[in-house]
Amino acid sequence: MENKRWRSGFPWVSVKGFRNKIKARPIVNGFPWGSKTGKSFDPTRPPKTGITRYYDFTISRDVAAPDGYSKPSILINGAFPGPLIQANWGDEIQVTVHNRITAPEEGTSIHWHGLLQRATPWMDGVPSLTQCPIAPGSSFRQIHLVARKALMKSDFHTPYAQLEADIMSKNATQRIQPIDNTLINGLMPYNCTLARPGSQCTPNAPFSKFRVRAGKTYKLRLINAGAGSLLGFSIDNHHLKIIANDFVDIEPYNTTMVLLGAGQRSDILFTPSSTGPVWMRAQPIGKFCARSFNSTARAVLLVNDAPENTIPTTTAWPPPLDDGQCANVGSARRLPDETMLNQRKDPLNDTVPYFPQQPPTPSVTYNLVISQVVNATGHTVYVQNGEQFQGDYNHPILLLADQKNYSYPQDPKWNVVNFGSNSSIRVNIWNNNSSPHPMHLHGHDMWVLSSGPGQWDGETIVNPQNPQRRDTHNLSPFGHMVLQYNADNPGTWAFHCHIAFHLSQGLFQTYMERPLDINQSQIPMVMEQTCRDWNTWSKSHVVEQISSGLKKG
């Protein structure tokens, strides 16, 4: 593919694998979005730059060893991590996905975490909810409008199919699946002395390395792409300034450690002050908030002209107090004298959105109780108000809603909550079990009105004029979380725990929003064709679905 630059004097770094096909609109004030700023303009309502970024993804199975331990892996364009996507605020991204997974074949899709899919709910990429899986040998083109502005990932050495079988086992010991390793940008050497008998493990795998200049300020985008652990990101001897959470810009504040549950993201600034190599760390936080064999992932920060092969000897910041709440930023804050702030008192106060929004009076309040139960077959599952989720790959709920099928009494396991024409929806969640849950809402940034231990008192709202907004928030064990969002994006939106195993055990709901307006949308024909291809393939192949049918890789 060809590389191009912005016209009218606006430069763009050449990136292999992307191209512009539509001419850009005239540049105003040196930027494609003109004079709009994050303070004066709602960042979820993007301008249209007239630029389309094209990408081609081939998904396949191969053997990879990012930490030295060889195992079968799902790769994009033959690589892990996958290719970098670059775009400006207001650009359109078009990705063509080819399913070339073999040995064995299986369906797939790509969900675009954090993109709101405003007016394009069918592009959200959730099988059984917004689309049928992409059948083996088939392709699917996804189009997204970019409305938003370092990767940390769990690594399991057991194949995912076996992990899922263990999670759904009746054996309590098998259901506990500690993470074998934690990676930063796809790397972190594994201790091969712990490798399973008969496995292939090459010692001394490389660390990720970042070269920086002292005194220069850098921006890092942190993503907890792991399966379940609450991770604390830090850089030895450096303070970090948090400027955004889950794509939502916030009033900046300083900390020494950023806590991220599965699926959460933060943008941070830091200014290197050392002259030698420094450790960058991502460590599991809390005894019951993270289960991991290898306690901390590390990467090397090479400052100035530090030799490429040098290993840091710097000391980590002490971890925050483990109070069992598995909460977000509050415990990682430090007082000016560097003593630990041991109490998580109203951590929501720490995150004030930069673009202010006050939630209206809700038109409906929905009370949700999450419990863990043993079902009729003896399997341990999660239920929401007594219902477990199990998807149907051949009948996506969004496409049924487009046909004016809004209720599913024959399939309560589809777990659809129809909010009808309500304009603003409040959800009061009580986590009636001992596990934490990073709860993620598709299609919206949600106001987080209250969060903490015990049940909500029905009155307390933190910072009611401008509450925290994000799309993923940590729900504490036996704790509560109160969220609200405006019904301004008709569709069927997933609300689920982002811990992969809890999702497999059914912790998933579908929130149907303005169903009559779904029918007025022009859903692309590719959605119907994708279902025809999947139906044809699934008629002649056994589709293994021992769990809810949803998993994240």
Side-chain angles (χ1 to χ4, degrees):
M1 295 182 179
E2 58 182 327
N3 295 316
K4 293 193 176 182
R5 295 178 179 272
W6 284 94
R7 57 197 191 112
S8 303
F10 190 82
W12 185 254
V13 178
S14 295
V15 178
K16 183 179 180 181
F18 87 5
R19 56 193 169 96
N20 304 332
K21 192 170 183 179
I22 302 176
K23 288 185 178 181
R25 294 185 175 184
I27 300 300
V28 179
N29 295 334
F31 297 99
W33 49 86
S35 59
K36 297 180 174 67
T37 69
K39 189 72 170 179
S40 63
F41 189 82
D42 184 352
T44 68
R45 306 282 182 173
K48 293 186 178 181
T49 63
I51 293 291
T52 299
R53 313 289 183 181
Y54 294 86
Y55 292 86
D56 207 73
F57 287 179
T58 297
I59 304 178
S60 61
R61 193 192 316 274
D62 205 341
V63 175
D67 61 353
Y69 189 102
S70 297
K71 64 172 187 175
S73 304
I74 300 293
L75 308 177
I76 298 180
N77 294 352
F80 171 83
L84 175 68
I85 293 178
Q86 288 191 321
N88 282 313
W89 184 40
D91 290 354
E92 185 177 87
I93 295 175
Q94 183 171 303
V95 181
T96 302
V97 181
H98 310 281
N99 182 356
R100 301 296 182 264
I101 301 173
T102 58
E105 292 183 328
E106 60 180 280
T108 191
S109 70
I110 295 182
H111 164 61
W112 303 86
H113 184 74
L115 296 188
L116 301 183
Q117 305 295 352
R118 192 177 297 279
T120 56
W122 46 85
M123 291 296 175
D124 200 33
V126 183
S128 78
L129 177 56
T130 63
Q131 68 171 83
C132 293
I134 305 169
S138 298
S139 300
F140 180 74
R141 180 169 295 167
Q142 292 182 293
I143 301 174
H144 312 277
L145 187 66
V146 177
R148 323 310 300 266
K149 309 183 307 157
L151 179 64
M152 298 173 288
K153 183 172 177 62
S154 306
D155 187 40
F156 289 89
H157 293 162
T158 303
Y160 193 89
Q162 182 60 51
L163 282 173
E164 195 169 42
D166 290 343
I167 287 297
M168 298 307 298
S169 169
K170 298 178 183 180
N171 186 316
T173 302
Q174 285 182 267
R175 290 199 300 272
I176 300 174
Q177 295 292 332
I179 295 166
D180 290 292
N181 205 357
T182 304
L183 313 179
I184 295 180
N185 277 16
L187 298 173
M188 172 62 197
Y190 182 66
N191 181 356
C192 287
T193 64
L194 303 176
R196 294 176 175 83
S199 62
Q200 181 179 345
C201 187
T202 303
N204 302 316
F207 293 98
S208 286
K209 295 180 180 180
F210 304 85
R211 186 170 291 280
V212 295
R213 307 299 298 182
K216 185 177 181 179
T217 299
Y218 293 84
K219 182 178 183 177
L220 293 178
R221 297 188 187 275
L222 308 177
I223 308 167
N224 184 348
S229 287
L230 177 66
L231 295 175
F233 176 87
S234 63
I235 300 175
D236 293 356
N237 306 324
H238 286 75
H239 289 88
L240 311 174
K241 179 176 287 187
I242 302 180
I243 61 172
N245 288 325
D246 296 355
F247 293 135
V248 177
D249 292 338
I250 64 172
E251 298 290 347
Y253 69 85
N254 294 319
T255 185
T256 54
M257 185 175 291
V258 184
L259 300 190
L260 295 171
Q264 291 187 313
R265 295 89 66 206
S266 286
D267 292 359
I268 66 168
L269 303 178
F270 80 102
T271 303
S273 57
S274 305
T275 57
V278 178
W279 282 123
M280 178 186 289
R281 305 174 189 263
Q283 62 186 96
I285 299 296
K287 180 179 180 181
F288 298 106
C289 310
R291 299 180 183 272
S292 176
F293 286 134
N294 194 10
S295 58
T296 299
R298 292 174 294 166
V300 179
L301 199 66
L302 296 168
V303 184
N304 294 339
D305 300 319
E308 188 75 18
N309 60 351
T310 53
I311 298 297
T313 59
T314 51
T315 302
W317 293 105
L321 175 72
D322 180 12
D323 62 1
Q325 292 297 303
C326 308
N328 274 117
V329 296
S331 68
R333 298 287 303 271
R334 289 179 178 274
L335 299 176
D337 64 358
E338 298 302 323
T339 59
M340 182 62 67
L341 180 60
N342 285 330
Q343 299 298 320
R344 281 191 178 95
K345 184 177 181 180
D346 293 334
L348 296 182
N349 286 337
D350 292 339
T351 49
V352 179
Y354 189 65
F355 180 80
Q357 286 185 341
Q358 181 177 359
T361 300
S363 57
V364 64
T365 296
Y366 174 65
N367 295 313
L368 171 61
V369 179
I370 297 174
S371 305
Q372 191 176 40
V373 302
V374 177
N375 66 12
T377 62
H379 294 86
T380 300
V381 298
Y382 284 99
V383 295
Q384 299 94 81
N385 289 352
E387 296 291 348
Q388 176 198 2
F389 174 84
Q390 188 169 33
D392 184 335
Y393 292 150
N394 296 74
H395 298 95
I397 295 170
L398 178 67
L399 304 190
L400 292 175
D402 181 55
Q403 299 168 8
K404 298 187 178 181
N405 184 346
Y406 305 134
S407 61
Y408 318 101
Q410 74 279 15
D411 283 293
K413 289 186 179 180
W414 288 0
N415 230 347
V416 178
V417 182
N418 187 346
F419 287 113
S421 60
N422 280 286
S423 59
S424 192
I425 298 156
R426 179 175 292 179
V427 183
N428 170 29
I429 308 162
W430 160 234
N431 183 21
N432 188 28
N433 66 95
S434 60
S435 295
H437 303 295
M439 300 301 295
H440 173 52
L441 177 64
H442 292 210
H444 295 275
D445 291 331
M446 56 190 177
W447 287 291
V448 183
L449 307 181
S450 182
S451 177
Q455 298 191 45
W456 185 42
D457 61 13
E459 298 179 359
T460 301
I461 295 178
V462 179
N463 193 16
Q465 303 302 314
N466 186 24
Q468 176 183 249
R469 299 193 307 274
R470 64 186 313 163
D471 59 48
T472 309
H473 187 76
N474 286 330
L475 174 62
S476 297
F478 295 108
H480 74 273
M481 166 184 167
V482 182
L483 67 91
Q484 187 172 329
Y485 63 96
N486 286 339
D488 55 8
N489 195 10
T492 54
W493 301 111
F495 182 59
H496 64 91
C497 176
H498 224 276
I499 294 176
F501 308 135
H502 296 177
L503 183 57
S504 293
Q505 291 175 302
L507 214 172
F508 182 103
Q509 285 188 304
T510 299
Y511 289 170
M512 184 175 290
E513 179 176 333
R514 290 165 51 188
L516 294 179
D517 291 331
I518 295 175
N519 178 252
Q520 301 303 311
S521 302
Q522 296 297 317
I523 296 181
M525 289 299 296
V526 67
M527 309 308 299
E528 183 179 347
Q529 183 60 52
T530 300
C531 283
R532 282 198 294 263
D533 292 343
W534 173 256
N535 290 338
T536 299
W537 186 85
S538 61
K539 285 179 181 178
S540 58
H541 295 79
V542 176
V543 180
E544 294 188 6
Q545 186 177 338
I546 62 173
S547 66
S548 69
L550 295 178
K551 57 188 178 183
K552 69 183 194 71

